[in-house]
Amino acid sequence: MFEKLRALEDKFNEINERLMQPEVVNDNKQYTELMKEYKTLEPIVQKLGEYKAAKNAFDEAVELTEAGGMDKEFKEMVQLQYDESKEDMARLEGELKLLLLPKDPNDDKNVIIEIRGGAGGEEAALFANSLFRMYSMYAAAKKWDIEVMNANETELGGYKEIIFSVSGEGAYSRLKYESGVHRVQRVPETESQGRVHTSTVTVAVLPEADEVELDLNEEKDLKIDVFRSSGAGGQHINKTSSAIRITHIPTGMVVECQDERSQFKNKDKALKVLRSRLLDMKQQAQNDEIAANRRSQVGTGERSEKIRTYNYPERRISDHRIGLTIYRLEQVLNGSLDEVIDALATADQAAKLAKQEEE
């Protein structure tokens, strides 16, 4: 491990020198790529520096102990330095192992989230709205930007489906754990006898695809239809044909977008969703083995997998992948998701670390 760390430190120092060269500073593409690599290596090198300092303190304490000739007070100080630095080295070594885990290549990407009402009809649609609100508030707290791509509203203000993008640093690395079936248990407003109903909502979190990752041939691969947009109860109906439906002919995948009044903007949004879905499909096909490994960790994020229950009568949230139960339902639905996501990320890291040590 430390050989690898020394190599990374050398690479970091080399990048640091290159970033100060005028020809690199003036080359925006090269500078951006190097800066991205610099930021990836920086926390590893900083942690290695902390480890070196702890090791130096440990070695110094060992030398002083072996030399002998110390009075009682000084000997106690040296023993304290020995104990503290030994403890620091063990802790920092563990942190370095985590930093060296293979990074998900999608972690730095923006995401497209698709929320759909499942079992439960109107109640499921209303909870889909609650989840959209939760993610919107979480994004606002993180200073991420949200843009609605397409929404299919119901009469009571729920969503049969809502698709939106989340743009910001680390968006995918945090939100990727949200893919799956979210179950809600509560008394619907329309329930006259006060019975608790169970409904489900599916959430899909897709890394946003760059145009270079998927080269779509518009003439050959896509069928593009234009139609008039519509809304719940006749609201937001557009008198012009600005809504877009794109069919990806090779897969039969269909994407609609009618959120904008501009046909061009709707087309651009629909293509963004289509690219992300196709990239997700491509990555799923390539990573069957990885998906199988994750099944025993925090789950694959498959649409059929129940990942979390929101129980309103008990004000409880249970994440079934890691056995986490917390009684802060209102806070979580108001966007305080970090406690849940931190626990999922920690479990994921621990499982990856255990697997790496087995190999």
Side-chain angles (χ1 to χ4, degrees), residues 122-279:
E122 186 64 52
E123 172 65 5
L126 288 169
F127 190 61
N129 190 352
S130 298
L131 289 184
F132 172 61
R133 177 179 176 273
M134 177 180 77
Y135 294 130
S136 298
M137 294 181 77
Y138 183 63
K142 295 289 183 184
K143 294 184 169 53
W144 295 337
D145 295 321
I146 276 190
E147 182 180 17
V148 174
M149 320 293 277
N150 197 44
N152 187 350
E153 299 176 58
T154 64
E155 293 282 351
L156 298 181
Y159 289 113
K160 291 181 182 176
E161 174 188 79
I162 182 164
I163 302 171
F164 58 99
S165 64
V166 182
S167 306
E169 188 174 346
Y172 184 79
S173 70
R174 302 293 289 170
L175 293 170
K176 63 184 177 184
Y177 302 109
E178 295 301 298
S179 282
V181 175
H182 295 241
R183 182 174 70 173
V184 59
Q185 295 172 328
R186 65 183 179 184
V187 179
E189 292 179 17
T190 53
E191 170 57 59
S192 58
Q193 298 181 29
R195 290 175 299 188
V196 173
H197 287 222
T198 297
S199 306
T200 60
V201 170
T202 62
V203 176
V205 181
L206 313 176
E208 190 174 289
D210 298 325
E211 289 188 32
V212 294
E213 290 180 283
L214 282 169
D215 185 21
L216 293 176
N217 186 321
E218 195 164 314
E219 292 184 11
K220 180 183 171 186
D221 296 338
L222 306 179
K223 179 176 180 285
I224 300 175
D225 298 309
V226 180
F227 60 100
R228 291 188 179 184
S229 61
S230 61
Q235 296 176 16
H236 314 303
I237 294 177
N238 204 339
K239 294 180 180 178
T240 59
S241 297
S242 62
I244 291 287
R245 180 185 297 111
I246 300 178
T247 304
H248 184 245
I249 297 168
T251 62
M253 190 178 287
V254 178
V255 177
E256 289 185 4
C257 187
Q258 55 179 334
D259 196 60
E260 300 283 351
R261 294 189 179 275
S262 161
Q263 185 182 125
F264 297 104
K265 287 182 180 178
N266 281 328
K267 181 182 175 184
D268 185 55
K269 285 185 175 183
L271 282 171
K272 190 179 284 190
V273 173
L274 178 64
R275 282 195 184 93
S276 295
R277 286 188 190 173
L278 289 171
L279 177 64

Side-chain angles (χ1 to χ4, degrees), residues 1 17-18 40 60 68 97 109 113 123 185 208 219 233 267 297 327 344-345 357:
M1 183 181 82
E17 289 179 11
R18 289 180 65 190
T40 301
E60 183 183 44
K97 284 180 182 178
K109 290 186 176 181
I113 299 180
E123 172 65 5
Q185 295 172 328
E208 190 174 289
E219 292 184 11
K267 181 182 175 184
Q297 298 168 24
Y327 292 87
L344 288 163
E357 288 174 350

Side-chain angles (χ1 to χ4, degrees), residues 25-37:
V25 174
N26 295 327
D27 185 338
N28 190 49
K29 184 181 176 183
Q30 188 181 4
Y31 184 83
T32 303
E33 288 174 356
L34 285 171
M35 183 55 74
K36 187 177 179 181
E37 199 171 0

